[in-house]
Amino acid sequence: MPLIALLTALLCNLVPPVLAKIPQTFKVEGLEVEGVEGLKVERLNVEGDIALKGTNLKPANLPYSNAKGEQAVNFKPDNFKPANFKPDNFKPANLQPANFKISTLLKQGKGLYDSGRFAEAVDVLEQALESNQTQGDKLSEAMVLSNLSLAYQQLGLWTQAKNAIANSEKILRSLKATDKSTGYLQVLAQSLMIKGSIELGSSEAKAAMESWEQAAVTYGELGDEAGQIRSRINIAQALQELGMYKRALNLLNQVEESLTAQPDSLNKAIGLRSLGNMRQLVGELSQSRETLEKSLEIARNLPSSEEISATLFSLGNTARAQQELDEAIDYYQQAFDESLDPITKLEAQLNQLSLLIDNKRIAQAQALIPQIWPQLESLPLSRRSIYLRINFAQSLMKDEVRSIKDERNVQTSAKRLQLSAKTGVEPSYEIAKILATAVQQAKALGDKRAEAYALGSLGQLYQKNQQLPESQDLTQQALKLAQEINAPDISYRWQWQLGRILKQQGEEQNAIAAYTEAVNTLKSLRSDLVAVNQEVRFTFRESVEPVYREFVQLLLQSDSRNSNPDNLEKAREIIESLQLAELDNYFRSACLNATPVVIDQVIDQVDTKAALIYPIILPESVDIIIRLPQQQLRHYRTELPQDQTESTLEELRKFLQQVHRRAFLPMSQQVYNWVIRPIEEDLANSQVDTLVFVLDGALRNIPMAALHDGKQYLVEKYSIALTPGLDLMNPERLVREDIKVLTAGLSESRRGSVPLPFVEVELEKIKAQVPSEILLNQDFTETRFENSLEAATFPVVHIASHGQFSSEAQKTFIMTWDSNINVTELKELLQTTDLRQPTPIELLVLSACQTATGDKRAALGIAGVAIEAGARSTLATIWLVDDEVTAVLMNRFYQELTDKSISKAEALNRAQKSILQDPSYEHPYFWAPYIMVGNWL
């Protein structure tokens, strides 16, 4: 039987006969797609890797779903259940409707909900609601409405979900004066939990917190400690969304104390697991692991196989977030071995598979695929099983489109993968079969969210096979469905995919329109992508960053052919949006909400001697966008493969730190030729004296001051500053008459650090230049530091202590005598000088920090500190410099800073040149790593 007939039979739910032969094409029928001519499997050859990670496609797109498919507390309304809101809580305990028919319908609805058949659950619950309204049982009606709200959310029916919970709340208010029963309180608590979930998913974190606080009070009246703990964990998530990190962490610590005081039980194990998942979400990864290990120990002592597997699954997720890949794979394997649930076992294996493929362990992936295949075929129909199919197909698509070297450096072609025991079947056909089945099953369940994922994924497969019209039809159908159910986390993916397809078809303007929509959708998500959809933490560089970079590439390629000011402006806006998205991802929340001033206004009106420079690394070029005072944007391009660009930058960074060698010079000149040479004439003609860079990617690791034109360094010609983006916070000059500095530092070794004996000299010299308070060694504790900040106003805060900048916020820290202060804690300490206050910190100086070794994106931590600290300017070092030289440079910097006629950037420039002019310290190692971030005025 031809494969076209086989696939048609599959989609019609018929049992097909055994394969006979392989035709050159097949057609996916039954999908209401006009013009789909079939997938030409013989010519699948696509460059690039833009598929979603397998972990993005768990049931209901549940990031870090646990082994039972439960959801963490922080997800959008369509896939949100409060922490540990288990199926058992679907109907409040001890509330049995008097009417047998209603009770039967509720049990039936619960069973359908638990099995992922949400549309059928809605039908049954609506019948129960109608019966309740006939019977006049108001409390039972309120309960059914809250349950309906859950089911509506799963189907993406937001309006219905909100109306149902509002009606439930209205009934409960009417019963408040007359009904004080346990049943009433149980329904009220559940309704408040669900209401909070809707509010958080609607970006109403304050309202969500209030709902969950009321739920906690209600659970207290019931004496339900487990319910109180669930509520408090949810409150911590709302606090985190509101940027109240310290309060969130304090609350989690209180929850842990409450749980620890309880005797060991299943509820305690579940509570600790929920707490561990929440700690993972807010970035406390080591604490997450400790808490989950406590939960695991209790579960094993009970013993509870179900809870053991769920906790092992969570431990796998935490290990993955910590980049401990071998441990993550081992935890997933243990979860597989422990679980008795076939879907849980498959989820664990699919997480393993995505990890193996992403880390090029192809031999191990090949061994795992045949184990997954037969399990997939035997799954019962449910949302979870649909998402497992999509998950598997996405992993196979990623592997199919690239030939890579595995861990033994053996070249492996993905087309050789055997997906099942059947031989001679092309992988692309098997993938299409998996996705076609997922589409049909989603239709059968009435699950538009799952259907949108499956259709879009099928469109992706057609795109990879260069069947672009068919791919476009499928993608547009998927996008229409996603928009119908208001699912922006799906919509942006298919808008992005549509942009790629249109670009491949040469429809440039339509492609720009599609990319514009994708970026706008991403902007609307912001905190959802990083705090609500936590799996994006793993996939930001795959499923978010490429949207921006591909769009910039499209706009600049168009401009290169035909100069277009609008495209240039749009490209600049998009690269700015990427910078903001990276910082959001870094902090796991929308990090910057203060009112900014557009930086163009600053160089046009305030500092007309400054130029804005945007170097952008693209796959085939280094592009420069420059904005000169009161002039339009200009664009220059150097054709260059990205791997060559990045390898040169990596080598330059390495040689700049080798103080006894000058091997850096040729590379420094080469990067100068990419970034500065094309705009030299523009700069000279404009007579600017300050260059303000918005750096991209690997360029962040290079101090621009060290670029060399063959005769002199860039720092010898210009003052230099960096800014994270287009907007600048409070662009005002430092009032020099009011300079007062809080200085703090460690000269002695602490926790294995190298002593910095000249720190004491550095702080004393600063005090000789400007009024200062000094916290040195034992006096520099977190508490003393906080007390000093609260006791007086310091426009300048100077910290001379070991610290590290990392691409992960939790690994970015400043060392004090008694602790390490991470970047979010630093914000809390400096909260009295927040941007909303009348006296923010004008300048934060970190004179002994360095970027994390081996972390190519560590310089993001500098921008992170600059933003999070709330300072208008941050002066930091990107590698650890000789502390004796630092003391000299900082003395000169503060001496220059008292000159009212110059900017902070020029003060730094003069200090750097004073070191450069000393023959003993002319190597860039000594003076180049000091960078000014933010307001340079």
Side-chain angles (χ1 to χ4, degrees), residues 35 40 46 77 101 218 280 320 326 395 408 444 484 489 511 616 703 713 884:
K40 298 170 185 174
V46 179
K101 178 184 177 182
T218 307
Q280 177 196 83
R320 185 171 189 168
D326 288 327
S395 288
R408 296 169 303 169
E484 282 177 2
D489 57 320
I616 305 165
Y713 294 104
E884 183 177 4

Side-chain angles (χ1 to χ4, degrees), residues 97 99-110 112 118-137 140-141 143-145 147-148 151-152:
N99 186 287
F100 178 75
K101 178 184 177 182
I102 296 173
S103 179
T104 302
L105 287 170
L106 283 171
K107 288 178 181 177
Q108 185 182 353
K110 176 185 180 302
L112 291 165
F118 303 116
E120 294 170 79
V122 164
D123 289 341
V124 171
L125 289 171
E126 285 177 342
Q127 293 177 46
L129 179 63
E130 186 178 346
S131 297
N132 261 306
Q133 291 167 340
T134 302
Q135 294 292 324
D137 186 344
S140 177
E141 184 179 343
M143 178 189 63
V144 175
L145 282 165
N147 292 344
L148 259 173
Y152 284 141

Side-chain angles (χ1 to χ4, degrees), residues 678-716:
I679 60 175
E680 271 186 329
E681 186 176 345
D682 292 335
L683 296 175
N685 292 339
S686 299
Q687 298 183 328
V688 298
D689 58 24
T690 301
L691 306 184
V692 182
F693 290 91
V694 180
L695 294 179
D696 177 46
L699 281 164
R700 294 190 186 116
N701 296 320
I702 305 300
M704 293 294 103
L707 300 189
H708 199 277
D709 67 0
K711 295 180 180 179
Q712 58 185 160
Y713 294 104
L714 191 62
V715 74
E716 297 180 83

Side-chain angles (χ1 to χ4, degrees), residues 244-502:
M244 301 177 185
Y245 303 105
K246 196 168 186 177
R247 283 185 60 188
L249 296 177
N250 286 341
L251 182 55
L252 291 178
N253 290 334
Q254 292 170 22
V255 169
E256 184 156 28
E257 287 176 11
S258 299
L259 285 166
T260 303
Q262 294 180 9
D264 289 355
S265 66
L266 182 59
N267 277 341
K268 180 177 179 179
I270 291 171
L272 285 169
R273 175 164 55 81
S274 296
L275 179 60
N277 290 339
M278 184 62 182
R279 288 196 184 283
Q280 177 196 83
L281 173 71
V282 298
E284 290 195 309
L285 299 180
S286 58
Q287 296 92 327
S288 169
R289 180 174 287 201
E290 290 173 9
T291 303
L292 290 170
E293 285 170 349
K294 291 178 186 177
S295 173
L296 181 61
E297 183 180 1
I298 294 169
R300 281 179 167 155
N301 289 335
L302 290 174
S304 168
S305 180
E306 181 183 19
E307 186 58 28
I308 290 169
S309 64
T311 307
L312 287 166
F313 208 102
S314 292
L315 278 164
N317 291 334
T318 294
R320 185 171 189 168
Q322 292 177 306
Q323 298 299 306
E324 300 289 348
L325 303 181
D326 288 327
E327 290 188 36
I329 289 170
D330 183 58
Y331 279 127
Y332 291 139
Q333 183 60 47
Q334 290 183 59
F336 171 84
D337 294 338
E338 185 69 38
S339 179
L340 303 176
D341 175 28
I343 291 186
T344 297
K345 294 173 90 68
L346 193 50
E347 285 174 337
Q349 286 188 310
L350 286 169
N351 273 18
Q352 282 183 301
L353 180 65
S354 68
L355 268 176
L356 292 170
I357 291 173
D358 292 340
N359 290 279
K360 304 182 181 180
R361 300 183 183 183
I362 303 306
Q364 290 174 269
Q366 286 176 313
L368 190 56
I369 288 169
Q371 298 176 38
I372 293 173
W373 183 263
Q375 297 177 69
L376 195 68
E377 292 299 297
S378 61
L379 288 178
L381 178 62
S382 70
R383 168 178 275 191
R384 287 177 74 188
S385 68
I386 292 170
Y387 276 90
L388 289 176
R389 286 182 175 277
I390 301 171
N391 182 324
F392 189 42
Q394 289 285 359
S395 288
L396 294 177
M397 273 195 279
K398 289 185 72 173
D399 192 43
E400 186 176 4
V401 298
R402 61 185 183 182
S403 292
I404 58 181
K405 292 182 179 180
D406 67 12
E407 66 274 18
R408 296 169 303 169
N409 207 38
V410 177
Q411 192 75 15
T412 304
S413 172
K415 284 194 176 183
R416 298 208 311 265
L417 287 176
Q418 291 298 313
L419 306 188
S420 68
K422 304 166 188 174
T423 58
V425 178
E426 284 282 355
S428 53
Y429 168 74
E430 297 283 9
I431 295 169
K433 218 170 68 167
I434 293 167
L435 291 171
T437 301
V439 171
Q440 190 64 26
Q441 289 181 343
K443 284 178 177 288
L445 290 180
D447 193 331
K448 290 188 176 182
R449 185 179 179 89
E451 186 182 351
Y453 260 130
L455 272 172
S457 299
L458 192 57
Q460 184 182 350
L461 184 62
Y462 274 86
Q463 183 203 3
K464 290 179 183 298
N465 197 46
Q466 298 298 302
Q467 293 179 257
L468 301 179
E470 297 86 353
S471 175
Q472 183 176 340
D473 286 339
L474 288 163
T475 302
Q476 287 172 329
Q477 283 197 51
L479 178 58
K480 182 173 182 290
L481 281 173
Q483 291 173 331
E484 282 177 2
I485 61 171
N486 189 25
D489 57 320
I490 306 176
S491 296
Y492 94 86
R493 299 176 191 271
W494 306 144
Q495 288 162 339
W496 171 29
Q497 183 163 292
L498 186 60
R500 296 196 306 271
I501 294 165
L502 292 166

Side-chain angles (χ1 to χ4, degrees), residues 358 600 828:
D358 292 340
D600 285 1
E828 295 290 341

